[in-house]
Amino acid sequence: MIRKNVLSLLLLLLPGIGFLLLTFGLPLWWALTGSIGLGPGGVGFTFDHLAMIFERPAYWRGLQMSLYYAITPTVLTLFIAVPLALLLQQPMFGRKLLNGLYKIPLAVPGIIAAFMVLTMVEQGGFLDRILMHVGLRMPRIVRDEWGIAVVLTSIWKDTPFMALIITGAFGAIASDMVPAARSLGASRLRAFLAIELPMAMPGITAAALLCFVKSLGSFAAPSILGPTYPMPLPVLMYESYREGKWAEIYAMGTVLIIAAFLVLAAYYTLTALSLRPGRESRQ
Amino acid sequence: MGEGSGTSVAPALSLTAITKRYTEAPVLFPTSLEVQTGEFVTILGPSGCGKSTLLRIITGIIEPTGGTVRLDGTDVTHLPPERRDMAIVFQSYALFPHMSVGDNIRFGLKMKRIPRAEADRRFDHVVGICGLTPLLRRMPRHLSGGQQQRVALARALVMQPTLLLLDEPLSNLDAKLRDSLREDLLELHRETRSTSLYVTHDQTEAMSMSDRIILLNEGRVVETGTPRDLYLDPKMRFTAEFLGQTNIVPVTAEGRSAGTPWGQAIALRAPAHGPSQVSLRAEALRISPDTSGPATVTELQFLGADVLYSVDCGGHAFRVRRDSDAPLIDRGTRVDISAMGDATPLQDTPGEAA
Ligand SMILES: Nc1ncnc2c1ncn2[C@@H]1O[C@H](COP(=O)(O)OP(=O)(O)OP(=O)(O)O)[C@@H](O)[C@H]1O
Ligand SMILES: [Mg+2]
């Protein structure tokens, strides 16, 4: 009886889960097995390819660069997107216009954004020529050691994306919350810190995570604007692809996936901890 | 009552000519009112008449377009909410969803930096009288409506405010719970002697709880008085119609006497001349079967303790309440009709006259 139920349940779930397995699970499985030398065209079980990423400086620095390109813009964007989201809540002149304008970068593909930034901030570029009139020069921020133009591009692309999610998070807070806090003695700032920010936190962290994962895989900006050494893993993956080194591609892909999963796992652990009942109370 | 009549007698709350307009039409016309220390005053009015707006102005959540708010004689019109000594229970309760019940109640104590010992004492007291001890570690989303209401109340009471504001705190609850919480609220008021301004659109709630009722309609104070005065002797037509069921009877006045449509002369409490209106409650009218009577029974409803009759008298419809142990009068019976007691000629309120 029970077995029959389980069977029919599995049959019912098959279309959904099957689709996921086929389109998502299978490639993932290939990447994972490929990275340890198994699967079609593999050389047999080995950790060599994975180990290579941590041994060879080009790859090891590449991994660090990937994390740098993912974390830096995400953190910096947070400092722009949260105030922007708050500003967009205020009744003010021109709010509707600002509300439409700030979303424009969302509609610009990453590669175009990269070229836009290039023509703007390059030495000899648009800003440089303007500055020349007042006897100044643009500092070198394209293909510089810190990948400043890459970070700038990510910020430019991610700000509206994050602000959109965070505006939603703040907007979902019931309208009586802040008045309630204020009438209980909280200043505008303390009401924000003690009530609004914690209530919007799930939205803010979700936005930050999405941006992190997006930037972790970014390809266009680092290859156009970034330094030639070290290159982040996605760019290195493309180079390996041109040389047909599939085992290395699998290995780098696997490492990137693991990095993203580690961050996600940390996120879920933290939220689960902070939502555990009783923790909030110091009774 | 002049302005400088001494600080010791200053009312807990006094509003002078408060006005508010959001965009175009005014939501509040110049509104003045006072609440004395220890009093339980209700602002009663239909939905949308500006009750919440008035409360928000008193707490400082919104600024009035004009007028003055005084708390214990001090002008607080331009103080931010956190610097006014009052607490509010919202229509929606507005409990902080990310804090436990205990932390919700402690929030104000922390914000106002009440010393630890004093804070603990107040906390324990309020938690005790609101019966929240077993719920302190729960999150608000795991509470029933009535429990949330008690937490919201405790969170306000623990502040020991000069003025406690309550914005329809019972309107989201079912009828049974509303009745029992209404009694709890009154008991709490008696225990804490907190000066309270209560907002509701429910006339039964207003009449059963208040020392005084301020009747509000379309942004104007219509009439103010004790529940008994407003119910038994309304001066305004709006008051008569809003509180309980009544008959607005057209009369022809001549000084202190007025002729009713059924030919009876009734005494007026205030002189009037010519066509006018009085309010006669359904229980102030009497009918008895009389084949030559001026009225006809058109409808009757058995309500338990009494029977509500609809009668027609020369084209006017009236409602009459009779004890249910008196013999029933059938539909279509001709009856004699008479009014008990005297009445006050009614005035129209400025807003509704148009
Ligand atoms: N922020 C606002 N902007 C414009 N108009 C508003 C605003 N808030 C309230 N109003 C209007 O002011 C009037 C009074 O609203 P208010 O909330 O004070 O009514 P209320 O008496 O509390 O009603 P209820 O019993 O339904 O709570 C309404 O007509 C409402 O539409
Ligand atoms: Mg209201």
Side-chain angles (χ1 to χ4, degrees), chain B residues 135-199:
Chain B
L135 303 177
L136 286 179
R137 309 190 64 162
R138 290 256 198 104
M139 299 307 275
R141 62 178 172 280
H142 299 307
L143 298 177
S144 72
Q147 290 168 333
Q148 291 185 28
Q149 197 268 344
R150 290 200 328 252
V151 177
L153 191 65
R155 191 176 69 174
L157 283 175
V158 82
M159 304 307 291
Q160 299 188 350
T162 302
L163 180 65
L164 178 63
L165 303 163
L166 304 115
D167 190 355
E168 309 205 31
L170 303 181
S171 65
N172 292 333
L173 306 170
D174 65 60
K176 254 258 177 62
L177 193 56
R178 201 152 53 211
D179 285 348
S180 87
L181 282 173
R182 194 201 301 170
E183 280 162 29
D184 291 350
L185 266 179
L186 274 183
E187 204 168 298
L188 267 175
H189 172 69
R190 259 179 246 120
E191 230 167 284
T192 56
R193 298 308 312 161
S194 51
T195 311
S196 309
L197 186 59
Y198 188 97
V199 158

Side-chain angles (χ1 to χ4, degrees), chain A residues 138-156:
Chain A
M138 254 329 254
R140 181 182 159 84
I141 61 171
V142 173
R143 296 207 191 79
D144 64 311
E145 183 187 6
W146 290 99
I148 291 177
V150 182
V151 173
L152 281 181
T153 311
S154 291
I155 293 177
W156 189 78

Side-chain angles (χ1 to χ4, degrees), chain A residues 235-276:
Chain A
V235 181
L236 293 178
M237 280 172 83
Y238 179 69
E239 292 196 338
S240 297
Y241 165 70
R242 300 222 300 189
E243 293 160 20
K245 296 180 184 162
W246 277 95
E248 288 178 12
I249 294 176
Y250 287 144
M252 284 188 271
T254 301
V255 168
L256 275 181
I257 289 171
I258 290 172
F261 270 55
L262 282 180
V263 171
L264 276 179
Y267 165 71
Y268 284 119
T269 317
L270 282 177
T271 42
L273 278 180
S274 70
L275 285 181
R276 213 167 50 191

Side-chain angles (χ1 to χ4, degrees), chain B residues 199-250:
Chain B
V199 158
T200 183
H201 63 254
D202 180 334
Q203 41 117 357
T204 334
E205 226 169 88
M207 288 199 284
S208 63
M209 299 178 83
S210 332
D211 296 326
R212 213 148 51 83
I213 295 176
I214 296 168
L215 200 58
L216 201 66
N217 188 34
E218 295 181 347
R220 286 184 170 89
V221 174
V222 176
E223 204 172 345
T224 303
T226 64
R228 199 181 139 83
D229 283 349
L230 291 190
Y231 185 80
L232 293 178
D233 185 18
K235 307 281 188 296
M236 296 297 199
R237 183 185 164 144
F238 178 80
T239 314
E241 284 179 320
F242 199 76
L243 293 179
Q245 274 183 340
T246 198
N247 298 293
I248 303 295
V249 181

Side-chain angles (χ1 to χ4, degrees), chain B residues 22 27 47-53 91 168:
Chain B
Y22 285 106
V27 172
S47 187
C49 71
K51 305 181 298 287
S52 296
T53 304
Q91 202 163 354
E168 309 205 31

